Every structure is written in C-alpha cells, then in structure tokens.
Amino acid sequence: MMMAYVVKYIRLASSGISTPFLIFEDPTDSIKMTRIAWFFRQYWILLLLVVVKTGLQFVLINPAYELHRDEFLHLDQAFHPAAGYISVPPFTSWMSALICLFGGGLFWVRLIPALFGALTIVLSWLIVEELGGRLPAKLLTTTFLIFSVYARINVLFQPNSFDILAWTAIFWSLIRYVRTQDVRWLLILAVVTALGLYNKYTVVFLITGLIGGLMLTRQRTIFRAKWFYIAIAFCLLLFLPNIIWQITHYFPVIYHMKALNNSQLVNITYSGFLLDQLKSGVIGILTLASFWALIFYKPFRVYRFIGLTFVAVLTLFTLSRAKSYYALGLYPVMFCMGSVYLEAVLNKWKSVAIPALIVLNILFFFLIARYIMPFQSPEQIITNRESYQELGLLRWEDGRDHSLPQDFADMSGWSEMAGKALKTWQMIPADEQKNTLIFCDNYGQTGALNYYNRKKMPEAYSFNTDYIYWLPQLERIDNVLLVGKRPDKEVIDMFREIKAVEVVSDEFAREKGTTVFLLLGAKPGFTEFFYDMAEERKAEFDIF
C-alpha cells in the first residue's frame, strides 16, 4: 500500500502540485506520516540551503569589522518608538526592538538580515514550484541567489534585505493569484505591500511598474475584480499610521529625497546605474533566459506583466539616478523564471548542464567574494588596492576613490571612538554631569556612542537625521562633550574653556581624525542659543 502512495506523490509532484501539508495514512494504520515529517521529507534540501545561506553571512565577514554607521542609527530607533522616522520608515525599528530584546549583540544584529536573505531563498523556491519547476530549477535559482551579490546586501542591518524579500513576496502573491484566482492572495498581497512600504518607500516604484505591466497584458482583468480594490483599501488602512505621520511632519520623505539627490545621487549617471546592474552579475544567464521565456515560452504568457514591470521599474530607477542596489528586488523572480525555462528546454541535458551552471556560479562567487564581501582585513585590501580599484569598489558616494570600500570604512573605528568618549565623560566632575550635553557631528558617531556606552553615560545626540528630534530639554547646559570637528569661533566664545581630549586614530576608519572635545563653563545664553539653533535647523530641514 505504501508504494501506491509513493506513486501518487510522484504523479502530484510531476504535475506541479505542491503537497507539503498532506497527511498520508495507510488504511491498515501500520504507517502514519505526520505533516511535520512529510514537510521535512519534501523540503529537507531547502532547509539545508537556508542553513548554508545563514551561515555564509557570518563566515564571510572578517572579525576586524564592527557594525556599520547606519546600523547604529537603526538600533537607536528601538529606544524612540514612532510611526515614522526621518531616515527610514519604522519597520527597521521594530527589528531593532527585537534585537535589543535578545541583548543587542553583534550576532543578533547580523542574524536579522541573514534571515531575511534566507526567507528570500524560501520564497524563490516556492515561486519555482508555482511555475512548475522541479528540483534542478529550484537548486539553480537558490544557489544563484545564495552565491551572489545578495550575500553582500545581507551582511548589513539595513532596510535593503527586507526590501528584496518584500518585492519577492509581492511577485509570489501575484503569481499565486494569477494561477488560482483565489482572492485571499490579494489580501496577502496587501499585507506584504504594506510591510514593504513600512520598510522602504521605494516599493512605490514597484507598484507603479506593476500597474503598467498589468494594464498592458491580459492580466488587466485584475482591475475589474472587486477584491482588488478591497485589497488596496486594506493596504492603505494598514499603512495609515505612517501616512498620518508623514502628513503631521510635513512629508519629510520629500525633503529627505532632495537631500539624498543633492549629496549622493547627483554622482550617479544613467549609464553608471545600468552598468552596475551588469557588473553585479544579476543580469546574467537566468535573467536573459527569463526574458526569452516571457516572449517565446507559451506557459509563461500569463506572466508577461512581470517582464514589463521589470523594464518599467528599471527605467524609472535609471531616470531617477537611483543607487544600483535599489533594483535588486526585481531579480529573484526573474531567476525563478529563467531557471524553470532552462530546466524545460534543456530536457535530457539538464542533468549535466544545470549542475555545471551551479558549479560555475559557485566558483565565480568565491573568486570575487573576497572583493565584494568584508572578508579581507583592511590591511589586505590596501595591499591589493589595484584589484579593488579596477573593480570600482573604492569609489564612494562623493565620486572619488578611497583606501577602502565605503561600507568597509564605515565599519571601523567606532569602539575606539566610544571608548575615548567614555574616558572623557569620566573626567567631568560628578556634580556637573547632569548639566552636560553629549553631542556629535553626525548620526554614525552618535549611534556608536549610544551602542557601546549605553548605561555607562547619558545618551548622545546630534543635529543629524532623527537625533535632532530626540534632543532632551535640559534646563541648563553648562558643559558639552563634543565628538566631531572643532566648533567655530562663535560657539567657542560661548564657553570658558575648550579642550581637545582624544582623537580617533584608526587609520582604516572613515572617522579617522575625529576629535573628542570638552567645552566647559558655558556662558549665559548658550542654552537658549543651542535650542534656537535646533529649531532653526528643523524648520529648514537642515539635518543631513
């Protein structure tokens, strides 16, 4: 009897029907398979790949590197819960609260983006199932995602890892709806879209592209479905708290984008954005195969809206001079379609061709991993500077080449800075500490001090990004512990004494040369001057 059930499973699997939660029971009750047992039997390879993916994110990081400046800011947001922030939407702060619940250590900070990357692998596997792909296509898709530029993205606790996951989940929900016409998938689509928006507003680009892609294909019938509009209303309801926050704060996202464009995106060219897509390796055999399939492969005709969406979003990002990694959420679904198509057309050759593609991809990844991942120490990178320079990895957002890749330079020197700030704080007499403000030039410095010195000294603040909105209302400011550049003469003249106490000496840090000052004995009027300056900066949105 068991053989009969095995044959039945093979038939179901070969027809593209996923059966992970079925209960198979022998009529004689001699053999019973629980749902959990069946799940592990069907998905043990996927679970193994999840473990490999998660572990790889830790193995390929050199212990010489600390957290990134952005990560310190995101972690600080956990202590200032809100429906929105100037720097990012609030989803990252929810993850920060979870990290802090587990102690806030380096392991937990790095585990969260690794898990988002692993979940992207899981969804891609499920998309391949939906498209009728079997094990070879699943392995081709997932290994191309694991051993790729996505590993670099999943190193840092930033919105990017969940952004890619959210885009993949949106495509998965739409594919499920197209296949089943089950309106519940529209409600799931509403939830994942709302979560995506809570994480990063660039999801708006995907929504715009999807509307165009759906309208230009036979899937335009979705706009005649009542439940589609119910799903839109549900999504807006879920996202309403952040909409209200944006309105009450006069849409800071607009000013943020303007500041980003003036300081960073201005150095990105149209050709540079498209060239980065090629250099990153995401436009390769799987992406090209997916386009061919969407045009010529009959089973994929119903999914042509995905190809049109890809073109539309990539065009919008190019015209907006977006950062190259903004588009990475587009590719997992393309990898899935390309893998399924190659599995189908290779036919009897797939047992050789697909393993060969997988092996070649893994070998290529490990050849370049030392360059794209923080695997080599700063000393090793400087020794091999020419190789990094040829790959364009030393070019920062200012358009110039530096000693280290920007992200790596942003992962050095923070603990030294925090230790020297704490040492300086301890020099202040205990009876004066309550009237001493700890202030920094930028959000990275501020977040690092708070991360390393929490509960050892009061919180640090800044006029930079979200910190300006968290300033404490001290009745009187007598002293300032300042981390950053030497203040201008107007500020110095408002204190009895200024001391340069410590200097960050880490030669690999972007913050090398940052000084820790003590400004002692504030003259009457400084407190009012400080808070007036803060209000002026907020009014002009001069916080970047």
Side-chain angles (χ1 to χ4, degrees):
M1 293 296 294
M2 187 61 190
M3 182 58 70
Y5 289 100
V6 172
V7 171
K8 183 178 180 181
Y9 162 66
I10 293 173
R11 288 175 178 170
L12 287 170
S14 63
S15 64
I17 298 174
S18 179
T19 57
F21 301 109
L22 293 180
I23 299 177
F24 287 75
E25 182 175 326
D26 191 284
T28 63
D29 291 330
S30 60
I31 300 176
K32 291 184 179 180
M33 299 183 70
T34 65
R35 295 182 181 183
I36 295 176
W38 182 254
F39 176 85
F40 279 99
R41 185 179 293 271
Q42 181 154 332
Y43 288 109
W44 69 270
I45 295 177
L46 174 59
L47 295 174
L48 179 61
L49 289 171
V50 165
V51 172
V52 170
K53 165 65 179 176
T54 307
L56 192 69
Q57 298 303 139
F58 288 88
V59 171
L60 293 178
I61 302 178
N62 193 296
Y65 297 103
E66 305 173 39
L67 293 179
H68 187 277
R69 69 167 63 237
D70 291 356
E71 294 176 301
F72 292 121
L73 170 61
H74 300 327
L75 290 169
D76 254 355
Q77 289 171 343
F79 299 92
H80 302 273
Y85 298 93
I86 299 299
S87 54
V88 291
F91 181 86
T92 308
S93 72
W94 306 341
M95 295 301 103
S96 296
L98 185 63
I99 290 169
C100 292
L101 185 65
F102 285 98
L106 184 65
F107 170 80
W108 296 106
V109 178
R110 289 184 172 158
L111 180 63
I112 293 297
L115 287 179
F116 288 152
L119 287 173
T120 303
I121 302 302
V122 172
L123 280 184
S124 299
W125 183 286
L126 296 177
I127 289 173
V128 172
E129 281 192 344
E130 290 300 320
L131 297 175
R134 301 183 187 178
L135 184 60
K138 295 171 184 175
L139 291 174
L140 188 58
T141 297
T142 51
T143 52
F144 266 62
L145 285 171
I146 293 171
F147 302 100
S148 68
V149 68
Y150 291 95
R152 168 73 178 266
I153 295 295
N154 297 147
V155 162
L156 300 177
F157 176 57
Q158 294 175 335
N160 304 315
S161 290
F162 187 79
D163 188 50
I164 294 166
L165 174 61
W167 285 45
T168 307
I170 288 170
F171 281 117
W172 177 57
S173 303
L174 275 170
I175 290 170
R176 285 288 292 161
Y177 173 73
V178 168
R179 284 196 69 239
T180 65
Q181 294 298 301
D182 187 338
V183 296
R184 288 177 294 182
W185 286 101
L186 291 178
L187 297 179
I188 292 172
L189 174 65
V191 173
V192 297
T193 302
L195 286 174
L197 287 167
Y198 269 117
N199 174 71
K200 202 169 183 180
Y201 297 127
T202 50
V203 173
V204 172
F205 285 86
L206 175 59
I207 295 171
T208 304
L210 279 171
I211 291 173
L214 290 166
M215 290 182 67
L216 293 173
T217 63
R218 67 177 67 178
Q219 300 308 325
R220 69 177 67 90
T221 55
I222 195 173
F223 296 108
R224 296 199 293 267
K226 176 184 69 175
W227 279 95
F228 176 71
Y229 297 98
I230 293 175
I232 291 176
F234 185 41
C235 179
L236 291 174
L237 179 64
L238 292 174
F239 193 57
L240 187 60
N242 189 252
I243 294 173
I244 294 172
W245 185 89
Q246 285 287 341
I247 293 171
T248 56
H249 288 75
Y250 307 104
F251 293 98
V253 63
I254 297 174
Y255 297 100
H256 188 193
M257 289 306 300
K258 287 181 179 178
L260 191 65
N261 183 67
N262 293 333
S263 62
Q264 298 177 18
L265 304 185
V266 68
N267 297 311
I268 298 173
T269 62
Y270 302 145
S271 59
F273 173 83
L274 293 173
L275 187 60
D276 281 346
Q277 304 302 304
L278 291 170
K279 288 165 62 177
S280 66
V282 288
I283 297 182
I285 186 170
L286 295 187
T287 303
L288 295 176
S290 68
F291 269 106
W292 184 269
L294 286 167
I295 297 171
F296 299 107
Y297 188 48
K298 187 175 179 179
F300 281 3
R301 286 180 182 174
V302 293
Y303 304 120
R304 284 179 176 171
F305 71 91
I306 294 176
L308 292 171
T309 299
F310 180 94
V311 173
V313 176
L314 209 61
T315 301
L316 288 172
F317 277 145
T318 302
L319 295 176
S320 302
R321 291 183 300 184
K323 297 181 182 181
S324 58
Y325 61 80
Y326 286 8
L328 287 179
L330 287 168
Y331 292 96
V333 69
M334 303 299 282
F335 285 8
C336 295
M337 304 189 84
S339 296
V340 173
Y341 175 69
L342 288 177
E343 180 188 54
V345 297
L346 288 172
N347 200 5
K348 62 180 180 180
W349 296 101
K350 66 185 177 187
S351 59
V352 175
I354 289 182
L357 287 173
I358 291 172
V359 170
L360 287 173
N361 179 72
I362 293 174
L363 289 175
F364 178 73
F365 172 76
F366 280 108
L367 282 174
I368 66 169
R370 62 176 178 166
Y371 299 112
I372 67 171
M373 301 292 291
F375 179 69
Q376 291 190 320
S377 67
E379 294 89 351
Q380 291 172 314
I381 292 175
I382 291 174
T383 301
N384 298 289
R385 174 183 171 81
E386 290 184 2
S387 300
Y388 281 84
Q389 196 165 25
E390 288 174 3
L391 293 169
L393 298 173
L394 299 181
R395 180 154 297 187
W396 290 10
E397 290 168 344
D398 60 9
R400 296 181 294 172
D401 285 351
H402 295 262
S403 299
L404 297 182
Q406 182 169 319
D407 280 345
F408 300 175
D410 275 331
M411 297 166 69
S412 302
W414 302 113
S415 58
E416 178 198 349
M417 178 190 298
K420 290 182 173 180
L422 179 60
K423 181 180 177 181
T424 303
W425 168 258
Q426 293 168 343
M427 295 170 57
I428 302 171
D431 60 337
E432 295 185 27
Q433 288 180 345
K434 67 177 181 178
N435 292 323
T436 299
L437 177 71
I438 302 172
F439 194 79
C440 302
D441 278 357
N442 63 58
Y443 69 86
Q445 300 162 348
T446 314
L449 262 60
N450 292 338
Y451 180 78
Y452 287 108
N453 295 335
R454 195 171 300 280
K455 297 183 179 179
K456 299 177 185 177
M457 68 183 211
E459 258 190 278
Y461 298 92
S462 173
F463 285 160
N464 201 214
T465 65
D466 300 293
Y467 288 105
I468 193 170
Y469 295 93
W470 302 338
L471 287 170
Q473 289 298 316
L474 299 180
E475 184 177 339
R476 189 178 79 250
I477 300 174
D478 290 334
N479 309 307
V480 175
L481 190 162
L482 174 66
V483 177
K485 297 177 181 178
R486 186 178 181 84
D488 58 31
K489 188 176 185 302
E490 181 183 14
V491 173
I492 292 175
D493 288 345
M494 300 187 78
F495 287 87
R496 171 176 47 82
E497 181 183 5
I498 178 173
K499 295 180 182 178
V501 183
E502 299 280 356
V503 178
V504 176
S505 59
D506 189 331
E507 62 178 308
F508 307 116
R510 191 175 174 185
E511 293 287 341
K512 180 185 177 182
T514 296
T515 305
V516 182
F517 296 94
L518 270 181
L519 282 69
L520 304 173
K523 296 177 182 178
F526 173 76
T527 303
E528 292 78 8
F529 168 81
F530 175 82
Y531 286 113
D532 286 347
M533 182 182 294
E535 291 304 315
E536 182 180 332
R537 295 280 291 268
K538 284 191 284 187
E540 297 177 358
F541 214 74
D542 182 19
I543 59 177
F544 294 102

